Amino acid sequence: MKSHALALGVAAAALLAVGGCNKSNSGGNAQQSAQTPKAEKMAGSQTIASGLDKNGQFMAAAKAAGLDQTLAGPGPYTVFVPDDAAFNSAPAGTFSTDPKNRAQLTAVLTNLILPGTVLVADIDKAIDTGKGKTQLATMGGSTITATKDGGKTVLTDSSGHKATITQGDEKYTNGVVHHIDAVLMPSKPASANAPAVGKKAG
Amino acid sequence: MVARQQAQVNRGNRQNMMAERQQLRALKTAQVQDRLVMRNNARFDRLDRARAFAPVPATLSIERTRFIPVGQATQFIGAPIATVNNIVPLAAFPAGFSYLYPDTPNYYYQYGGGYAYQIDRTSNLIAALLPLLGGGFLPGQYLPNYYMSSYVPSYYGLNSFYPASYGGYAPYGYNNLCNRYEYGVVYQVDCYTGLVQNVIPLYAGGYGVGQILPSAYNYYNVPLQYRSMYYPTADYSYWYAPGAIYQYSPQTSLITSVAALMSPGFTIGQPLPAGYGMYNVPLAYRSTYYDTADAWYRYNNGYIYQVNPATQLVTAVVASLLT
């Protein structure tokens, strides 16, 4: 069984997802909306999904993780959107839309989303109350630490990566977007020695 | 003389009592040993039944999410698609999923039996396969012993959604089913043997669009406050698991989208969780619910809660945004 599991892991690792022709598959790219009419009404007309650049790297990654539909829902969410330059400087493969990278992609993106509407002023006030720093709970289950540096709000992930809010409080009917200049990563899984998909357990 | 006789009788009585006591003790020991033997026999029976399992537990063999055992599936690699089609009918991904498994000039994808298959265009041989249910182990495999003491983090529902075991029946509760956790994935296993019955990857662990809904997920469980928005129809239904409300196709059991992200809910009386020090009430409600010296307000999963700033305890639900 172990060898089979190992073979499966090798097989999974061998998968390549490269964009190309659509010769045999009957499907197009038509996606059904996840939101019902009532949910769409609650989300409003100017949602985060509709407001962010469709061709930007964040929305491409969100689509690959199935979050594009989520950001069109009622929410509300607070989203930290790294700019495209930050995407390019992230570790190679972080935002790959390859099917086998979907787990990491989802973890990275959910670590950039907070529940509710949190304006920059709200973060700053919490930093003041917290004597210089505050924790922000993310939808991925991690926390981000917020501090002030030279009048700017700085976010730090559990690994020490820092990102500065460059443009905040972009308001939408289902939440708010803050643009940041670097990518924040989620905390490492509880069991770093656990097997990845299809790998031998030991 | 009489006194001596009486003393002898008493001594005899004491000896009889001791003998009876020893007999009782021996009986008890025998009973305990019998119970142990019976318990072991039952355990070995269960182990034997589990080991003799083939190919997949009946509970998993329902049509909508039939899994091919991993060992069998890996043998498909390198096999012609026509051969595999005789064993498990393969089909092109539904339109909503094709962008997740994009065709290339060299390969295209089909799915069936719980896996996505990458097929070489020129040879029509299966080049690789990818499980549609995440996790390092699949139903029918055994979870190693060292994972059997790894429980679901409380953030993902150890005390609610995925308890260590179910119910109060000794020793492991209902149906001998236990939840264990590794690397973003919940494994529902046989408590004794570790035989994986179900694999439940969590959203932040990578469970999402293009993956298959586990067979146990065949009922509607969306939280009450979201039910008026996310209700089942003929074309799609919704499933809640810690982290998200998923939209899925009832026909294919494939997850089509994530309708809403969910955070762990608050309960009245609990301490405000870490990370909620900041005010996060939606804009439309801020004129009514704003922080004061006596009361804070925090948003969570469709509700606005009141928090006591002094004790940091959640004291009340003050508004529902969804109803």
Side-chain angles (χ1 to χ4, degrees):
Chain A
M1 187 60 81
K2 282 179 180 175
S3 60
H4 291 153
L6 184 61
L8 183 61
V10 172
L15 279 171
L16 291 172
V18 183
C21 72
N22 198 14
K23 196 171 164 185
S24 75
N25 242 345
S26 57
N29 282 343
Q31 270 185 275
Q32 189 176 41
S33 170
Q35 305 302 331
T36 59
K38 183 179 177 186
E40 283 179 357
K41 190 178 171 189
M42 278 206 71
S45 55
Q46 292 295 315
T47 64
I48 296 169
S50 68
L52 290 176
D53 180 6
K54 295 276 181 301
N55 300 317
Q57 297 205 46
F58 183 87
M59 281 309 286
K63 187 176 179 184
L67 282 167
D68 56 330
Q69 304 271 323
T70 318
L71 296 177
Y77 305 110
T78 298
V79 188
F80 295 114
V81 177
D83 55 38
D84 282 356
F87 272 81
N88 295 334
S89 59
T94 302
F95 293 98
S96 166
T97 54
D98 188 308
K100 69 177 188 289
N101 186 52
R102 206 170 295 147
Q104 183 185 342
L105 184 62
T106 304
V108 171
L109 292 177
T110 51
N111 191 50
L112 295 170
I113 302 175
L114 314 181
T117 304
V118 185
L119 302 176
V120 174
D122 300 325
I123 300 174
D124 291 349
K125 191 176 174 188
I127 292 170
D128 292 340
T129 308
K131 295 176 183 171
K133 66 177 179 180
T134 192
Q135 302 283 321
L136 310 175
T138 74
M139 285 296 194
S142 300
T143 54
I144 293 171
T145 304
T147 53
K148 293 288 283 183
D149 185 10
K152 292 191 172 175
T153 306
V154 178
L155 309 172
T156 309
D157 66 20
S158 57
S159 304
H161 303 116
K162 288 182 186 298
T164 302
I165 296 179
T166 52
Q167 185 192 336
D169 293 350
E170 203 172 277
K171 292 173 188 168
Y172 295 97
T173 46
N174 63 345
V176 63
V177 166
H178 307 303
H179 293 270
I180 55 177
D181 64 355
V183 171
L184 299 170
M185 302 296 282
S187 53
K188 286 181 181 164
S191 302
N193 59 349
V197 175
K199 279 189 179 170
K200 186 181 176 185
Chain B
M1 186 67 179
V2 174
R4 192 180 298 162
Q5 281 177 343
Q6 187 60 44
Q8 280 177 346
V9 169
N10 286 345
R11 198 179 302 134
N13 284 344
R14 273 202 302 274
Q15 283 171 347
N16 285 344
M17 282 170 64
M18 280 178 66
E20 279 177 14
R21 205 174 291 160
Q22 279 173 347
Q23 273 181 346
L24 276 172
R25 202 174 291 157
L27 193 64
K28 264 184 194 166
T29 310
Q31 282 176 340
V32 168
Q33 284 174 342
D34 283 350
R35 270 206 303 271
L36 273 173
V37 168
M38 283 170 66
R39 196 179 297 167
N40 280 341
N41 283 345
R43 183 166 178 265
F44 293 142
D45 274 355
R46 200 178 291 123
L47 281 164
D48 287 343
R49 280 202 303 273
R51 285 179 184 138
F53 125 98
V56 165
T59 52
L60 298 175
S61 294
I62 57 175
E63 189 60 40
R64 57 194 282 273
T65 47
R66 181 172 290 162
F67 297 102
I68 301 173
V70 179
Q72 188 183 349
T74 51
Q75 290 168 15
F76 294 162
I77 297 171
I81 185 173
T83 310
V84 177
N85 251 324
N86 293 333
I87 302 164
V88 53
L90 301 183
F93 272 95
F97 305 97
S98 54
Y99 78 102
L100 293 165
Y101 298 93
D103 292 352
T104 76
N106 299 321
Y107 298 103
Y108 66 96
Y109 290 88
Q110 300 241 303
Y111 87 107
Y115 302 86
Y117 300 82
Q118 187 189 54
I119 299 154
D120 189 310
R121 285 186 188 282
T122 49
S123 64
N124 261 335
L125 300 178
I126 290 175
L129 56 85
L130 185 69
L132 288 176
L133 204 60
F137 303 93
L138 290 174
Q141 288 183 293
Y142 290 92
L143 204 65
N145 271 340
Y146 49 84
Y147 287 162
M148 289 299 284
S149 55
S150 172
Y151 304 101
V152 179
S154 54
Y155 181 86
Y156 292 118
L158 173 65
N159 300 314
S160 55
F161 216 83
Y162 299 116
S165 62
Y166 293 92
Y169 305 102
Y172 281 124
Y174 172 72
N175 217 16
N176 202 31
L177 200 63
C178 285
N179 288 308
R180 296 296 181 265
Y181 171 88
E182 280 304 325
Y183 209 70
V185 178
V186 176
Y187 296 98
Q188 288 192 325
V189 299
D190 181 291
C191 304
Y192 284 107
T193 64
L195 179 71
V196 177
Q197 307 281 338
N198 221 336
V199 182
I200 309 162
L202 301 173
Y203 183 65
Y207 188 38
V209 287
Q211 289 188 297
I212 209 162
L213 205 69
S215 59
Y217 287 7
N218 54 5
Y219 54 95
Y220 180 63
N221 74 339
V222 169
L224 286 176
Q225 70 268 33
Y226 286 92
R227 288 193 170 200
S228 65
M229 281 196 295
Y230 302 120
Y231 43 84
T233 69
D235 297 326
Y236 50 80
S237 190
Y238 294 92
W239 172 261
Y240 163 75
I245 293 174
Y246 300 101
Q247 182 197 56
Y248 70 95
S249 158
Q251 285 77 37
T252 61
S253 286
L254 285 167
I255 295 170
T256 51
S257 197
V258 178
L261 289 173
M262 304 285 283
S263 47
F266 291 174
T267 52
I268 307 304
Q270 76 161 81
L272 188 67
Y276 283 87
M278 77 293 179
Y279 181 63
N280 70 344
V281 171
L283 299 177
Y285 292 81
R286 290 190 167 210
S287 60
T288 309
Y289 303 108
Y290 48 86
D291 285 1
T292 68
D294 300 324
W296 285 359
Y297 296 93
R298 295 293 179 267
Y299 167 83
N300 187 280
N301 287 351
Y303 294 117
I304 296 173
Y305 294 84
Q306 189 181 57
V307 178
N308 183 325
T311 61
Q312 294 280 301
L313 295 177
V314 177
T315 52
V317 179
V318 294
S320 169
L321 276 59
L322 305 171
T323 51

